[in-house]
Amino acid sequence: PKISPGNTEVERGASLIVTARFEGALPDEVWLWHESAEADSETEPVQIAMKQSLKDPVFAAYVYGIDDSRNYRVQYADAATEAYRIDVFEYPALVRSDAKIEYPGYAGPGEKSVVDTRRVTVPTSSKVTWQLHLNKPVEVAELVAQDASSGSSLELTPSKQDPRLLTASVVLTETTTWDLKLVDAAGRENNVDISLRAKVLPNRET
């Protein structure tokens, strides 16, 4: 039979339909067999009955919620196809953003950390360090200012201890909003738009 899609990849958590097209006499039963391709997996193989599509010589079955790479083949009568592979991938994504604020001298000494935030309000000349926790390491990470006249873009630097933790610091004198740009090793960009904003209050010292 002709198997579709053959070797393929899907986003983690997605579902996939597998079809088998037969030539000539059709088998009475067709089964889709699949198992984890991960060496340390303890999950059991799964067998699913494939259903014929109307009167077409095509049998189909769904694999739901694919969370790990899997091997699969189609079994029928006393035969089985070669094994195919389903690889899973994730788009680069922001899991959590924190902000560390260092206040200017006129505002009084001190600093503050704000956990799980994408918005901060600070006095002018404050230093803000964004700390971004990602779902995986990336090749490109940048905070792109929406308005170049009000702020500059910031390159994010990965931590040596954890490449999924990225930081960027900036001393702010104007309110700035940045868009997060991520690109992973396969060239995939983040598919969810994320923006960070720092609202700057004027110096009210008299």
Side-chain angles (χ1 to χ4, degrees):
K2 181 179 180 181
I3 306 302
S4 178
N7 294 320
T8 189
E9 61 178 10
V10 298
E11 185 178 2
R12 188 180 301 277
S15 300
L16 179 72
I17 185 170
V18 175
T19 63
R21 177 178 290 274
F22 289 84
E23 299 290 341
L26 300 181
D28 293 329
E29 293 183 335
V30 181
W31 299 87
L32 173 65
W33 174 93
H34 63 90
E35 66 175 352
S36 174
E38 308 295 340
D40 58 351
S41 175
E42 297 181 355
T43 60
E44 296 292 328
V46 178
Q47 186 170 280
I48 306 170
M50 302 184 73
K51 299 185 181 300
Q52 186 176 1
S53 176
L54 300 177
K55 295 183 178 181
D56 294 333
V58 177
F59 290 76
Y62 275 97
V63 183
Y64 292 98
I66 303 171
D67 286 324
D68 60 355
S69 295
R70 306 196 71 76
N71 295 320
Y72 75 93
R73 63 171 59 92
V74 173
Q75 299 175 332
Y76 57 99
D78 295 325
T81 66
E82 65 179 287
Y84 299 94
R85 184 179 174 97
I86 306 169
D87 285 312
V88 297
F89 70 88
E90 291 180 301
Y91 289 101
L94 177 67
V95 176
R96 192 185 83 219
S97 61
D98 304 330
K100 177 184 175 183
I101 304 168
E102 298 177 46
Y103 295 105
Y106 74 84
E111 60 182 46
K112 179 175 71 172
S113 293
V114 185
V115 177
D116 196 12
T117 185
R118 299 180 187 179
R119 303 286 185 270
V120 295
T121 300
V122 298
T124 187
S125 299
S126 294
K127 180 180 180 180
V128 173
T129 299
W130 291 108
Q131 300 170 325
L132 307 186
H133 302 262
L134 307 184
N135 63 330
K136 64 177 184 177
V138 295
E139 294 294 310
V140 177
E142 187 179 15
L143 289 172
V144 181
Q146 289 185 358
D147 183 356
S149 65
S150 66
S152 59
S153 297
L154 305 174
E155 182 177 352
L156 289 155
T157 303
S159 164
K160 293 181 180 180
Q161 289 73 33
D162 184 356
R164 297 170 300 175
L165 172 59
L166 310 179
T167 60
S169 298
V170 60
V171 176
L172 291 162
T173 57
E174 293 183 277
T175 296
T176 307
T177 301
W178 301 270
D179 293 323
L180 178 60
K181 177 182 179 182
L182 303 171
V183 183
D184 68 10
R188 299 186 185 93
E189 299 184 9
N190 50 301
N191 63 344
V192 176
D193 293 334
I194 298 293
S195 63
L196 306 178
R197 178 177 173 83
K199 180 180 180 181
V200 176
L201 303 175
N203 181 359
R204 299 187 182 277
E205 182 180 22
T206 58

